[in-house]
């Protein structure tokens, strides 16, 4: 148990959803106020604004200045996720509030889902599943042929930890790799392209593994999708905001790109309904880090960052 000198546990606001066992551990360590995602602020929260010293938030939640400014004793915003674009980092920094995230523990699982989406798109795995279930194999015979990963080029937007792991997996499947990054990396063997458009022109599958936030908002726009072309696929395991979603829906419906595997959306859980009927799209409900093992590790890291703050120890994963 983690008590302050006066014997009280530090008060933490936890924004759902988070795994039940993470919430249980957080309840042991902290005086916990649980705030349902997107709901009105409950009385228990309003009655305790002076006591709240930390926030634990899912990667896609919003902790903005209007929320933080209600909490005069806030010390830390601990993101349950590698992405921290949902937290107003400038406000936090200006007000002496630390921001932490949960990198590394999710890298493998996120890269795994990226590879799974690449294979699902190229090999039409979901289309094949629907084909069998609808009895079409029997009534129509063999399904149309699909695309091999071997010999195709994977363009990775954001060559960080997840991008590198995705590259390794794709190489095993015989793909060549090229990348775009904020700046060229001296320590990777893959060709660098100085713009997403140039990368899209050069590759067959464009995979997004970059951070969200203002710097990357709508970076993949209609022009980039046009450069990807009618044989190109888009895979997004980054943030919905990185893509101009309306332009993507248009490109998919007009088949100016071949298909897409999409795990993240601009306004989750609202997904553009136009995508629901498209055979050339594989949709996921923001699942990339969603394994029991990874989410457990993310929960523990989130709590460890809060405990370090309240114990005046260096924060394991401070990003601001
Ligand atoms: C989670 C994420 O989906 O790491 C991120 O940035 O988006 C995620 O792993 C999310 O934080 C779960 O609540």
């Amino acid at each position: 148990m983690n008590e302050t000198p006066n014997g009280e546990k530090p008060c933490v606001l936890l924004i759902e959803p988070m795994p039940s066992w993470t919430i249980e551990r957080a309840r042991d360590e902290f005086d916990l106020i649980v705030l349902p995602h997107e709901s009105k602020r409950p009385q228990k929260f309003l009655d305790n604004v002076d006591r709240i010293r930390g926030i634990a938030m899912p990667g896609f939640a919003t902790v903005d200045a209007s929320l933080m400014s209600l909490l005069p004793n806030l010390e830390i915003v601990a993101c349950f996720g590698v992405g921290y674009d949902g937290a107003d980092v400038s406000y936090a920094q200006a007000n002496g509030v630390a921001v932490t995230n949960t990198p590394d523990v999710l890298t493998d699982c996120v890269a795994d889902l990226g590879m799974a989406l690449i294979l699902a798109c190229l090999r039409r795995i979901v289309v094949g599943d629907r084909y069998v279930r609808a009895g079409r194999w029997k009534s129509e015979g063999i399904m149309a042929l699909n695309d091999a990963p071997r010999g195709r080029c994977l363009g990775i937007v954001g060559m960080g930890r997840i991008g590198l792991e995705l590259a390794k997996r794709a190489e095993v499947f015989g793909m060549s790799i090229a990348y775009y990054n904020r700046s060229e990396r001296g320590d990777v063997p893959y060709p660098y392209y100085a713009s997403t458009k140039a990368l899209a022109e050069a590759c067959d599958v464009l995979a997004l593994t970059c951070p969200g936030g203002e710097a990357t908002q709508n970076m993949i726009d209609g022009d980039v999708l046009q450069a990807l072309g009618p044989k190109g696929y888009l895979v997004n395991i980054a943030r919905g905001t990185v893509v101009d979603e309306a332009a993507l829906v248009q490109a998919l419906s007009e088949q100016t790109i071949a298909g897409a595997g999409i795990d993240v959306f601009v306004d989750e859980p609202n997904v553009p309904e136009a995508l629901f009927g498209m055979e050339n799209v594989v949709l996921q409900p923001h699942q990339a880090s969603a394994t029991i093992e990874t989410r457990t590790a993310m929960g523990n890291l989130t709590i460890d960052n809060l405990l370090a703050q309240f114990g005046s120890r260096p924060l394991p994963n401070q990003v601001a």
Side-chain angles (χ1 to χ4, degrees), residues 12-16 18 22-23 26 32-36 54-56:
V12 167
L13 175 71
L14 181 144
I15 300 175
E16 288 192 305
M18 273 195 210
T22 296
I23 299 180
L32 202 68
I33 298 174
V34 176
L35 191 68
I55 297 179

Side-chain angles (χ1 to χ4, degrees), residues 15-19 57-61 79-85 101-103 106 110 162 237-239 263-264 268 285-290 294-295 298:
I15 300 175
E16 288 192 305
M18 273 195 210
M57 63 176 281
F60 54 78
C79 296
F80 172 83
V82 67
Y84 48 92
D85 47 304
N101 69 346
T102 63
L106 44 63
V110 176
I162 295 168
I237 51 170
R239 281 289 183 265
D263 185 44
V264 284
E268 297 171 6
H286 202 143
Q287 284 285 291
S289 68
T294 287
R295 287 283 167 91
M298 289 163 62

Side-chain angles (χ1 to χ4, degrees), residues 121 228-235 248 252 255 257-261 280-282:
C121 286
L228 188 57
K231 292 190 169 169
Y233 295 87
L234 182 79
V235 166
L248 176 61
L252 285 164
Q255 297 187 15
I257 66 170
N280 54 347
V281 179
V282 181

